[in-house]
Amino acid sequence: MSGLHRHTGSTCLLDEACADHACLHPPLERGGLIQRLDPRSRVLAAVSFALLVVALSHLPTLAVAVALAVVAAVLARLEVGTTLRRLLALEGFMVLALMMLPFTVPGDPLFTVGGLEASRQGAVQALVILLKANAVVLMVLALVGSMDTVTLGQALRRLGAPEKLVQLYLFTVRYLDVLHREYRRLRTAMRARAFTMRSNRHTWTSIGYLFGMLMVRSVERSERIVAAMRCRGFDGTFPSLETPTRFQRPDGLFALASLAGMVMLMTIESL
């Protein structure tokens, strides 16, 4: 029995280690041309594109920016269904503000709904915001969203990001998933006891206990993690066994193409 117990315990530890590795290295989209580039060049291109698009204000320029983002998504071979769901989530978050803008921005009347006049300037501003958000999000998904967590953290570190910020990012991504799994485990236990959501005092009390237990278990888990890291001699850095990538010819071509695209956007904006 003791041998079986040791074997079972080892299996549990291996399962947890595999779960940790799967969280830090999520499955990526099918490899495309974008995935062959140095992660640093992809991060720099995404940040530069986002800053430029935010500064644009004309609809033709923003339409070209969206087209460039679509081209990048095609080169990255993003999953169409997943990408559309993410964009729809963005639109759902912005829909209320975009619907209110035509009625709150003064300008030339465009149409009337229930005695409220919608202005042409407000409609244009709403469209500008919509195009900006979609262009930036789609480009970030294509260039950065197709990286795994560790690769992005290493790229940020090599670009000069503060070490503590990189570690905070890695820990946040890792343990948000842990908290989510713990929450699902507690909710399953509640459903096994025939708990159903209702608008009464018992439901609100149970939900309070749920989040209280989640916080308690989070604190306990963090204490175990700190103890485990100290036992392994954690010195404040995450050593990597992977060979650092270097800028190569494809990265230079990608940098030139990115620069040409941004120059084209600035030219269209000035015209």
Side-chain angles (χ1 to χ4, degrees):
M1 291 297 291
S2 61
L4 178 60
H5 177 73
R6 287 196 300 270
H7 177 73
T8 305
S10 302
T11 303
C12 293
L13 291 176
L14 288 174
D15 290 342
E16 185 173 357
C18 291
D20 291 352
H21 185 271
C23 179
L24 288 177
H25 296 271
L28 300 178
E29 311 289 350
R30 292 175 297 173
L33 295 176
I34 298 296
Q35 278 76 9
R36 302 175 188 174
L37 301 172
D38 190 289
R40 292 173 295 171
S41 62
R42 293 160 63 181
V43 172
L44 290 175
V47 172
S48 302
F49 181 83
L51 293 176
L52 176 60
V53 169
V54 169
L56 301 177
S57 59
H58 292 86
L59 292 178
T61 314
L62 292 172
V64 175
V66 173
L68 292 177
V70 171
V71 171
V74 172
L75 293 178
R77 294 187 181 180
L78 295 182
E79 184 67 31
V80 177
T82 303
T83 304
L84 289 178
R85 284 195 297 270
R86 291 172 178 174
L87 291 178
L88 287 177
L90 171 68
E91 317 301 351
F93 177 76
M94 300 174 56
V95 62
L96 183 60
L98 296 179
M99 290 177 60
M100 295 298 296
L101 273 176
F103 299 97
T104 56
V105 175
D108 303 329
L110 186 61
F111 59 89
T112 303
V113 176
L116 298 176
E117 288 188 351
S119 65
R120 182 177 62 83
Q121 288 78 1
V124 171
Q125 187 172 346
L127 187 57
V128 165
I129 295 174
L130 182 65
L131 292 177
K132 283 185 180 182
N134 282 274
V136 171
V137 170
L138 193 56
M139 183 64 76
V140 170
L141 288 176
L143 297 180
V144 181
S146 53
M147 297 184 198
D148 61 71
T149 305
V150 175
T151 302
L152 180 56
Q154 292 175 353
L156 293 175
R157 181 184 291 114
R158 296 179 64 193
L159 286 172
E163 185 71 23
K164 290 185 178 180
L165 180 62
V166 175
Q167 293 182 14
L168 180 62
Y169 160 72
L170 292 174
F171 274 117
T172 300
V173 173
R174 167 69 184 96
Y175 289 101
L176 279 178
D177 180 73
V178 172
L179 291 178
H180 180 63
R181 285 186 290 172
E182 188 65 29
Y183 168 78
R184 288 189 300 178
R185 189 178 297 113
L186 292 172
R187 286 287 291 122
T188 301
M190 294 174 68
R191 285 193 292 267
R193 291 164 175 79
F195 173 78
T196 55
M197 291 284 191
R198 293 188 177 89
S199 182
N200 53 30
R201 183 175 180 178
H202 173 69
T203 298
W204 291 111
T205 303
S206 300
I207 295 299
Y209 288 151
L210 169 64
F211 284 101
M213 285 301 301
L214 185 62
M215 293 299 103
V216 170
R217 295 193 179 187
S218 301
V219 173
E220 293 177 350
R221 182 69 176 260
S222 66
E223 292 175 350
R224 294 199 302 270
I225 292 168
V226 171
M229 293 173 67
R230 289 176 177 172
C231 289
R232 289 161 176 80
F234 180 69
D235 60 355
T237 60
F238 289 111
S240 175
L241 300 178
E242 298 181 3
T243 303
T245 58
R246 297 181 179 180
F247 287 111
Q248 298 178 355
R249 183 177 180 182
D251 299 294
L253 296 176
F254 174 71
L256 290 177
S258 301
L259 182 61
M262 288 186 284
V263 170
M264 179 180 64
L265 290 177
M266 290 186 291
T267 302
I268 297 175
E269 180 76 6
S270 63
L271 294 178

